[in-house]
Amino acid sequence: MSTAVADARAGRHRTPVGVDRALLVDTGFVIALAAVATFAAWPIYETPYLFITVGGALVVAAVVTLIGRVRRWNWLLTAVTLAIAYLVLGVPLAVPSAFVSRPDLVQGYHELVVATVTGWRKLITVGTPVGHFQTLLVPMLIVVLVCASAAFALVFTRARVRGYGALVPIMLVPTAFAIVFGTSANGSPLTLATITVAAPRHVLVGLLALVLAGGFLVWRAQHERRLALETAAQASGIRRASGITSGSLRRLAGAVAVVLVGLIVAVPVASTMLVPGPRHVLRTAVNPVPQLSRYVSPLTSYRQAFEPAQYDTPLLSYSGDAAAVGRLRIATMSFYNGQQMTVLSGDSDQQNAFAHIPELTGRQPKAAATLKVTINDYRSLGMPDVWLPTAANLSAIEFHGGDVNALTDGFYFNRELQGGAELYDLGSGDSYTMAVDPPAATEALSSLTPSAGAVQDTAYIPASLTQWVQAQKVGSGGQALTELIQRLRDRGYLSHALVAPPATTPKSKNWLSALGVPGTGTFQASFAGESTDRISDLFSALLRQQQLEGPAAPDKSLVAGVGDDEQFAVASALIAESLGFPARVVLGFVLNPSVTGPSAIPACSGGVCKGQNLTAWIEVKGAGGAWVPIATTPQDKLPLAKKTSTQTEPKFPTQVQPRDATVQPPPEANPTGGTHQNTTHTPDQPAGPAVWLPVFRVGGSILLVVLVLLAPFLSLAVVKWARRSERRRMTDAAARVAAGWDELVDTAVDLGLPPPGVRSRAEAAAVYAAAARAGNPAHMRTLASGADEAVFGAFDPTPGDAERYWAQLDEQRARLTASFPRWKRLRALISLRSFRTRRGGSA
């Protein structure tokens, strides 16, 4: 009788029918929660390759842990094998871009190692969906691989008496990763009867995880109870009644009630708590903007294109649907600070930021027009070559050559500005192909109206500009804007220099000879710059000439403003701003002359854009929200009016001073954390606390990776602590004493000592006392006899007896642990041996 009871307590019985079913359920639960994590991560990636990454991670984790179980590897050897499998299979599972060429394949393994640490930060700095862009699938691979390996380690070791509960927190980590690293958008609301769910996807993810976890725990608890009853029946010979009992019905009803309560509470809470605004995730706390505002404005280098050395120099070549593309945009400048037009303001945010847009650099279906651009002597323009010539309505871009991945890595785009930037060192011979969608039909300029309630910043609009606009008496709106800009062009005179260019030779050309001016006698000097003073002088000259000639004088008598696209584009933008229209200046090339009409700046021809083709225009936005381009180049046929040509310019004009002497962003400017930055300039040195920001960012990324890698081991330590606490808090004193002996056995087994097997408690105590060199064998025998007395004695122990027993137990456990080296004590903390031996199998 006592032997049968002891066998029942120790779990020493033949494997009952149904254990394999539990194995299948555990495995299915791991796969199901991985599927939930994939569903939760879909808004981040939105690529079918995500299924390959997650599925491959599950297969690798299952195979490695199963082999380790069959061959009886320890946890360290299994972890090393898993790391090797990750390094070997990580590229095909998470870095598809590495299969472009053999060098890229070799580079892919290097990027895999780097992405193990830096990929976490890069993931939250790239706009979603990221697709399979670069190495951004690596974090998902790591999370699923590590968590699935820890989960399968529990499943395959059959540690399911108490260890099965650890599967839930372990496999919820990938779902938590998808939520934390996901987007802050809540998605379109879903109305169910009278309840509106603001974030249906997030609610569905939570409900799926809740139902799976709750259902799994209920089924496993029921399964363990059934196994325990079958074991007791085998040991005692007493068969329990079969069929569904009232207790089973109560447990089933309770589980259903818990799920229903969760649904009833979660859906209304989600419908109210998520309505106020977007969720706050890691992505919302990180600014993925390369600090392009630190670069000198490209418009300040405009005139260098008309120097003799660059005027007839091929800057880039193109082939394809040039007529459909129409224009190449180098930079779009939306901000004016009184000194220059800039691409971005000093306090630019994510809405106006350049960022990685993976969907542009992936392989896309062919658009209506394609254009291949090859860089020639683009650097000779003198402007930062970070600005990449692109086209409006860009739908895809594909780089060519040996540095495909590097160029793709360095490409940033701003959808609002329709402009691109390349932080990698762009050199002669680099090429790329753009796919461009047909432009949407835009309103006629004359029919534009300002947006209702729009308030424009007029702080930098010169008073002379306002006076000149008022003197034209053309009213407001799109018709007035059209007339004002046309008058500005007609009454201006094109000049690209302060000093006349040298005389031409058969082998050289200059802009003055191209204008058809017979000699340098009619040359008109023009100061560079686009500062408020320079624009004010331009309108002062126009206003003065109109006052002298009268408002009804013909345009040939009112030509008074001298300058080129640098001044006239800025002046036109300020005119639009004064009328309430948002405006911006675009620097680039015209490929199709029909989009601008006759102009003193010729369009590119013969598939080549030269310095002489560089031009600037403006774009204005009306109430419809579309940007409408307007040519602003002044005319060159009518000379300056006589009364104006005798006047002299100010002796000391305002000169444009670049805000920064350097044009290279600091190291943190590249949100990828990579090394591909423009290396042709000297970076600004951050001052003060900013010096430590990169250290904190890298340190945080490393800490996050370490925590993810250690999560399974920490989970094991937590599970063991919870097991010990549960044993110690048992309400029945006899059960508490018996559980105390089980805790001592588990400690010994985790330290590497043999499980009791067929030994009695007294025999096991002798074995463990011999291993505890610092302990007293008599005390260990006392613990064994105390446990036997609690289980088989005539009288039950009191709660006080149980407390004293646990006090002695803690002392003996401490002495037993102290007898082993520190590394063995650490290994025992995360050992699974006590689970595999079913709590040590005490006799």
Side-chain angles (χ1 to χ4, degrees):
M1 176 72 177
S2 60
T3 304
V5 174
D7 288 347
R9 287 183 178 274
R12 218 172 42 244
H13 54 270
R14 292 186 300 273
T15 302
V17 178
V19 172
D20 290 338
R21 183 168 53 179
L23 176 65
L24 294 177
V25 170
D26 291 352
T27 304
F29 174 72
V30 172
I31 297 175
L33 275 191
V36 173
T38 304
F39 175 71
W42 180 256
I44 304 176
Y45 295 99
E46 290 190 9
T47 173
Y49 215 92
L50 177 63
F51 301 115
I52 297 177
T53 300
V54 176
L58 290 175
V59 171
V60 171
V63 170
V64 172
T65 52
L66 184 59
I67 293 176
R69 169 60 179 168
V70 171
R71 301 186 66 86
R72 299 185 180 276
W73 290 345
N74 58 31
W75 68 269
L76 182 59
L77 182 57
T78 304
V80 171
T81 305
L82 192 68
I84 295 174
Y86 165 73
L87 294 176
V88 174
L89 300 175
V91 170
L93 290 179
V95 194
S97 61
F99 294 94
V100 175
S101 63
R102 290 184 179 179
D104 287 323
L105 183 61
V106 176
Q107 181 66 19
Y109 283 97
H110 172 265
E111 292 179 351
L112 174 68
V113 176
V114 174
T116 303
V117 178
T118 63
W120 310 86
R121 180 177 180 272
K122 182 185 290 187
L123 181 59
I124 59 177
T125 62
V126 177
T128 56
V130 302
H132 53 264
F133 182 69
Q134 296 176 358
T135 57
L136 297 185
L137 280 166
V138 171
M140 187 68 181
L141 174 65
I142 294 175
V143 171
V144 177
L145 182 62
V146 172
C147 293
S149 299
F152 284 132
L154 290 177
V155 171
F156 294 149
T157 54
R158 305 291 180 91
R160 293 191 290 271
V161 176
R162 295 188 185 275
Y164 69 86
L167 293 178
V168 174
I170 291 175
M171 288 310 299
L172 284 178
V173 171
T175 302
F177 162 82
I179 295 174
V180 173
F181 283 79
T183 65
S184 60
N186 292 325
S188 302
L190 177 66
T191 302
L192 300 173
T194 58
I195 299 175
T196 300
V197 182
R201 171 179 284 273
H202 300 98
V203 172
L204 181 58
V205 169
L207 291 179
L208 287 175
L210 174 65
V211 171
L212 285 174
F216 170 74
L217 292 175
V218 169
W219 188 91
R220 284 301 261 112
Q222 181 70 14
H223 180 73
E224 292 300 328
R225 181 176 181 276
R226 184 169 60 253
L227 290 181
L229 292 176
E230 291 177 358
T231 302
Q234 292 177 5
S236 63
I238 302 175
R239 299 292 176 180
R240 65 187 181 91
S242 60
I244 300 176
T245 64
S246 59
S248 299
L249 291 176
R250 286 196 302 271
R251 285 187 290 272
L252 179 60
V256 173
V258 170
V259 174
L260 291 178
V261 170
L263 291 173
I264 294 173
V265 173
V267 172
V269 168
S271 65
T272 56
M273 297 295 289
L274 296 178
V275 167
R279 301 177 303 112
H280 292 283
V281 294
L282 290 179
R283 191 176 299 275
T284 59
V286 176
N287 184 6
V289 184
Q291 302 299 320
L292 297 175
S293 57
R294 296 177 178 266
Y295 284 96
V296 175
S297 172
L299 193 59
T300 59
S301 303
Y302 174 73
R303 290 196 173 186
Q304 188 163 335
F306 295 89
E307 295 290 334
Q310 287 79 35
Y311 180 77
D312 203 37
T313 299
L315 304 177
L316 55 87
S317 57
Y318 60 92
S319 61
D321 304 321
V325 174
R327 288 184 172 99
L328 280 180
R329 308 162 68 94
I330 294 178
T332 305
M333 291 148 282
S334 300
F335 300 93
Y336 186 61
N337 56 19
Q339 291 295 320
Q340 56 186 339
M341 294 290 298
T342 60
V343 177
L344 295 173
S345 64
D347 56 349
S348 59
D349 55 19
Q350 293 183 1
Q351 184 177 2
N352 296 319
F354 284 74
H356 279 305
I357 304 182
E359 61 196 61
L360 290 181
T361 53
R363 283 170 170 73
Q364 302 285 338
K366 290 186 177 180
T370 58
L371 188 74
K372 182 178 181 180
V373 178
T374 301
I375 301 298
N376 295 330
D377 199 10
Y378 184 58
R379 287 183 176 178
S380 64
L381 284 178
M383 68 180 67
D385 55 348
V386 65
W387 309 113
L388 186 71
T390 53
N393 303 302
L394 182 69
S395 63
I397 183 170
E398 182 180 359
F399 292 91
H400 311 294
D403 294 335
V404 172
N405 287 334
L407 290 169
T408 303
D409 188 10
F411 178 69
Y412 292 78
F413 194 75
N414 185 312
R415 290 193 182 277
E416 174 63 21
L417 299 180
Q418 291 291 300
E422 178 57 60
L423 292 185
Y424 187 70
D425 191 5
L426 194 66
S428 178
D430 290 330
S431 62
Y432 52 94
T433 299
M434 296 180 292
V436 181
D437 290 326
T442 58
E443 299 179 72
L445 179 60
S446 58
S447 63
L448 290 182
T449 57
S451 301
V455 179
Q456 302 299 325
D457 185 8
T458 59
Y460 297 113
I461 296 180
S464 59
L465 182 151
T466 303
Q467 295 171 8
W468 183 82
V469 170
Q470 293 173 351
Q472 307 313 304
K473 298 180 180 180
V474 294
S476 60
Q479 186 66 42
L481 178 61
T482 304
E483 181 63 26
L484 287 171
I485 292 181
Q486 188 59 49
R487 289 186 185 183
L488 177 64
R489 298 181 64 190
D490 292 340
R491 298 175 187 182
Y493 185 76
L494 182 62
S495 176
H496 292 295
L498 183 62
V499 179
T504 60
T505 64
K507 295 183 179 181
S508 66
K509 300 179 181 179
N510 62 49
W511 63 268
L512 190 59
S513 62
L515 295 179
V517 178
T520 59
T522 57
F523 166 78
Q524 297 296 331
S526 169
F527 290 104
E530 67 240 35
S531 67
T532 303
D533 291 342
R534 178 66 179 90
I535 304 302
S536 178
D537 290 342
L538 174 64
F539 283 101
S540 295
L542 293 172
L543 189 61
R544 184 167 54 249
Q545 186 66 19
Q546 181 171 323
Q547 292 172 348
L548 291 174
E549 296 292 338
D555 285 335
K556 66 178 181 179
S557 301
L558 298 177
V559 177
V562 183
D564 56 11
D565 283 356
E566 180 184 5
Q567 293 79 41
F568 279 79
V570 175
S572 299
L574 294 179
I575 290 176
E577 295 278 355
S578 70
L579 297 181
F581 292 96
R584 60 193 188 187
V585 176
V586 183
L587 182 68
F589 300 99
V590 174
L591 305 182
N592 185 358
S594 63
V595 301
T596 59
S599 175
I601 304 296
C604 301
S605 61
V608 176
C609 290
K610 303 179 180 180
Q612 59 185 288
N613 306 124
L614 187 64
T615 186
W617 62 91
I618 70 167
E619 294 177 341
V620 297
K621 182 168 68 173
W627 289 94
V628 180
I630 308 173
T632 59
T633 303
Q635 61 85 32
D636 63 306
K637 305 303 180 184
L638 299 176
L640 287 179
K642 293 182 179 180
K643 293 182 180 180
T644 301
S645 60
T646 59
Q647 299 171 2
T648 59
E649 295 286 344
K651 185 175 181 181
F652 300 103
T654 302
Q655 298 294 327
V656 177
Q657 297 295 332
R659 292 179 300 162
D660 299 306
T662 59
V663 296
Q664 165 72 9
E668 71 270 19
N670 187 346
T672 65
T675 59
H676 297 326
Q677 295 197 13
N678 192 303
T679 57
T680 59
H681 308 288
T682 303
D684 292 335
Q685 295 297 330
V691 176
W692 297 99
L693 289 179
V695 178
F696 292 149
R697 291 171 180 169
V698 175
S701 301
I702 295 175
L703 179 60
L704 180 61
V705 174
V706 171
L707 290 177
V708 171
L709 295 176
L710 293 180
F713 308 115
L714 295 177
S715 300
L716 287 175
V718 171
V719 168
K720 290 184 179 182
W721 173 83
R723 180 180 64 183
R724 183 166 58 253
S725 299
E726 183 180 358
R727 288 169 170 172
R728 191 162 195 160
R729 291 195 302 267
M730 287 183 174
T731 56
D732 183 68
R736 198 188 317 170
V737 172
W741 174 258
D742 289 341
E743 183 64 28
L744 177 64
V745 171
D746 286 343
T747 302
V749 170
D750 284 334
L751 287 169
L753 298 178
V758 296
R759 300 183 184 92
S760 65
R761 287 191 177 90
E763 292 171 343
V767 173
Y768 299 151
R773 295 184 296 272
N776 189 333
H779 290 168
M780 195 73 73
R781 289 193 297 271
T782 299
L783 291 177
S785 61
D788 287 337
E789 182 68 22
V791 175
F792 304 110
F795 302 99
D796 290 335
T798 64
D801 294 336
E803 289 296 332
R804 286 188 291 275
Y805 184 87
W806 269 90
Q808 297 175 6
L809 173 71
D810 290 338
E811 180 182 357
Q812 293 305 311
R813 284 182 64 251
R815 291 183 176 182
L816 177 63
T817 304
S819 302
F820 291 85
R822 181 175 300 176
W823 68 270
K824 282 193 174 182
R825 296 200 297 268
L826 180 62
R827 186 182 66 177
L829 186 64
I830 56 177
S831 173
L832 295 171
R833 296 185 73 238
S834 62
F835 294 100
R836 294 199 301 266
T837 55
R838 304 184 69 85
R839 294 175 296 168
S842 55

